[in-house]
Amino acid sequence: MTDFFKNIPPVRFEGPQTPNDFAFRHYNPDEIVMGKPMKDHLRFACAYWHSFAWPGGDPFGGQTFERPWFGDTMDLARLKADVAFEMFQILGVPYFCFHDADVRPEGETFAASLRNLEEIVDYIAQKMDETSVKLLWGTANLFSHRRFMAGAATNPDPEVFAYSAATIKSCMDATIRLGGENYVLWGGREGYETLLNTDMGRERAQAGRMLQMVVDYKYKTGFKGAILIEPKPQEPTKHQYDYDVATVYGFLKDFGLEGEVKVNVEQGHAILAGHSFEHELALARELGIFGSIDMNRNDYQSGWDTDQFPNNVPEMALAYYEVLRAGGFTTGGTNFDARLRRQSLDPEDLILAHVGGMDACAAGLKAAAAMLEDGKLEAARAARYAGWDNETGKALMTSDLDSIAARVVAEDINPAPRSGRQERLENLVNRYL
Ligand code: XLS
Ligand code: NI
Ligand code: NI
């Protein structure tokens, strides 16, 4: 045991009335919701990078956090892992997620970095055995080091493409070694700062080739997890190629990978793309590429990826409603890709941030389940489209313009507009919250 979280006992469910800040009010892991325990619906994961690797900087100032594990040695990397697993256990989260750069110091050469990664992965494997905490997904950090400043797969320099391919292989190997349930590719710096120096066609082809190699390696290694792309419209680059779910789907179709790769949808990224989170989730479901979620919000005024812990239950209810309509998570889960505000210096801030996020998700899930079980929303939706289920409606989908036009004239069709009943449905939804 380290003494970082000293005096903070494991957080337990105590119900909505408890005065204890270090307790769950809604997240009751074993409570059955729609036939299965809440913990199996939500599949919470902590993000190693924000909680343990991020120093608290912003564009105007540097490090605010002082953590005993900050530094570039393997001893400190092990201390970081010790503290991380202590937090996972205090919270009772079943999963975590990581990038290579979060867990190991960078070496002088690629081979040295790889040795560091392999060594720490062995150490993490032991911790996973001791605690039963599992890996939701692994990924590669192909954006922090200056070598990636012009992108990874989409870099104009083929040597960076090669370095990135080798890095991805090492991170897929680490994910497989740790029994990860998914492998994530967030675009990092795959995009451009200015079109003036960018060959978009080439960069797109390079990204497609890299993704094909990732899928090939999945089959070569027998990795059973899902490969997920995480869409984001901008930041760090002015324009990110994996803009949103629809753009990613077009890209996957183009390279014939729509049956191989799904999406990890992040709440804040959806908002940056000008969508709602539920829009992105619903579209992913309809396209058959829904995989997992990053449940972190942005500040609605500041307009950038502030990665805050979720706290808006009504929004989360609508999000989990779409997750439940998708049949729930299979390999995916709810990852808190969220960081503290840079003034939240104390160890207890880390715990309380997650407690609040987990509780808000649980409350959202319960509301979503009630909406779905009650069936009123789905009944209203079905009634709105009912005309498409009768014979004339169905026939339209296999008809042609000539015959449809002839019928409209012959039967003197003159459709009467009907209310969309939006306010009525909004009132209905509020009753579950
Ligand atoms: C950045 C992304 C990143 C991915 C993992 O905005 O959300 O944190 O989730 O690389
Ligand atoms: Ni993000
Ligand atoms: Ni993310």
Side-chain angles (χ1 to χ4, degrees):
M1 280 287 281
T2 72
D3 64 1
F4 188 71
F5 292 116
K6 55 177 176 291
N7 306 328
I8 303 183
V11 180
R12 308 263 184 248
F13 174 73
E14 293 180 11
Q17 306 310 330
T18 181
N20 181 3
D21 285 346
F22 293 85
F24 295 119
R25 285 158 174 74
H26 302 284
Y27 182 56
N28 185 7
D30 296 314
E31 183 179 324
I32 301 295
V33 175
M34 289 183 75
K36 68 179 183 192
M38 211 186 265
K39 63 172 188 287
D40 298 340
H41 277 287
L42 292 163
R43 294 165 58 85
F44 285 130
C46 292
Y48 216 99
W49 50 103
H50 285 315
S51 290
F52 304 106
W54 182 59
D58 72 7
F60 302 92
Q63 176 172 351
T64 56
F65 298 141
E66 288 171 343
R67 306 295 197 215
W69 58 85
F70 281 174
D72 281 336
T73 69
M74 286 302 288
D75 278 341
L76 291 173
R78 276 186 286 270
L79 175 62
K80 189 194 314 189
D82 292 343
V83 175
F85 276 79
E86 283 168 15
M87 185 179 88
F88 306 155
Q89 283 195 288
I90 290 172
L91 294 168
V93 288
Y95 291 100
F96 72 104
C97 304
F98 76 102
H99 305 78
D100 50 353
D102 310 330
V103 294
R104 59 104 181 98
E106 175 101 11
E108 290 285 309
T109 59
F110 179 83
S113 294
L114 181 59
R115 274 195 301 279
N116 289 349
L117 179 65
E118 287 173 347
E119 199 181 316
I120 199 73
V121 160
D122 282 342
Y123 189 73
I124 288 176
Q126 263 178 44
K127 307 232 97 179
M128 291 171 70
D129 273 353
E130 288 160 19
T131 59
S132 303
V133 174
K134 294 177 286 182
L135 176 63
L136 187 65
W137 46 265
T139 187
N141 180 325
L142 302 174
F143 43 89
S144 293
H145 194 281
R146 64 195 290 277
R147 76 172 68 84
F148 302 120
M149 69 180 190
T154 63
N155 203 289
D157 179 352
E159 301 288 52
V160 179
F161 180 95
Y163 198 101
S164 305
T167 306
I168 291 175
K169 177 196 178 302
S170 71
C171 292
M172 289 181 78
D173 288 342
T175 301
I176 294 167
R177 158 91 172 86
L178 297 175
E181 300 189 22
N182 307 271
Y183 184 81
V184 165
L185 299 124
W186 164 58
R189 294 180 193 273
E190 313 293 25
Y192 62 77
E193 299 296 344
T194 170
L195 264 184
L196 298 177
N197 64 12
T198 301
D199 184 336
M200 213 194 295
R202 267 184 199 272
E203 294 201 1
R204 206 161 178 277
Q206 289 166 216
R209 182 60 203 150
M210 187 69 89
L211 188 60
Q212 181 65 59
M213 292 196 293
V214 167
V215 170
D216 290 348
Y217 195 62
K218 166 183 158 150
Y219 285 107
K220 188 170 177 191
T221 53
F223 176 51
K224 292 284 171 287
I227 306 291
L228 306 176
I229 287 186
E230 184 176 320
K232 186 174 184 181
Q234 74 264 336
E235 199 192 288
T237 68
K238 165 193 158 63
H239 177 92
Q240 300 274 123
Y241 292 134
D242 296 331
Y243 198 94
D244 59 3
V245 168
T247 309
V248 167
Y249 187 70
F251 173 80
L252 293 177
K253 276 288 236 196
D254 197 10
F255 291 91
L257 293 171
E258 70 275 16
E260 301 290 351
V261 178
K262 294 181 171 151
V263 282
N264 179 40
V265 185
E266 179 165 313
Q267 200 271 1
H269 298 180
I271 308 299
L272 282 180
H275 303 302
S276 66
F277 193 26
E278 60 269 26
H279 164 93
E280 289 290 79
L281 295 171
L283 183 60
R285 183 192 62 239
E286 296 304 330
L287 296 171
I289 56 170
F290 170 66
S292 198
I293 63 176
D294 273 5
M295 189 49 115
N296 42 286
R297 69 191 162 101
N298 290 349
D299 182 286
Y300 283 118
Q301 278 80 53
S302 72
W304 42 297
D305 195 8
T306 56
D307 286 334
Q308 289 173 248
F309 283 85
N311 67 352
N312 187 328
V313 175
E315 278 182 1
M316 287 148 85
L318 295 179
Y320 281 111
Y321 191 74
E322 299 304 333
V323 171
L324 290 174
R325 286 185 69 212
F329 296 121
T330 50
T331 63
T334 301
N335 173 41
F336 293 113
D337 187 357
R339 59 178 184 258
L340 293 173
R341 298 307 85 197
R342 67 198 290 271
Q343 298 178 55
S344 302
L345 302 178
D346 298 340
E348 68 169 46
D349 292 323
L350 261 180
I351 301 294
L352 292 174
H354 285 91
V355 168
M358 291 165 77
D359 252 348
C361 288
L365 174 77
K366 282 194 284 188
M371 284 196 265
L372 205 57
E373 279 181 320
D374 218 22
K376 292 201 179 74
L377 207 49
E378 288 319 297
R381 195 194 313 266
R384 187 159 183 248
Y385 291 86
W388 286 95
D389 295 335
N390 66 36
E391 289 316 310
T392 11
K394 279 187 198 152
L396 285 175
M397 294 303 275
T398 51
S399 217
D400 57 36
L401 291 184
D402 279 343
S403 46
I404 294 177
R407 190 174 71 83
V408 168
V409 172
E411 297 177 20
D412 190 16
I413 289 178
N414 185 11
R418 288 190 310 169
S419 172
R421 298 178 167 172
Q422 179 168 339
E423 295 78 7
R424 184 179 182 152
L425 297 175
E426 287 169 348
N427 296 351
L428 173 64
V429 165
N430 277 346
R431 275 179 239 150
Y432 299 95
L433 297 170

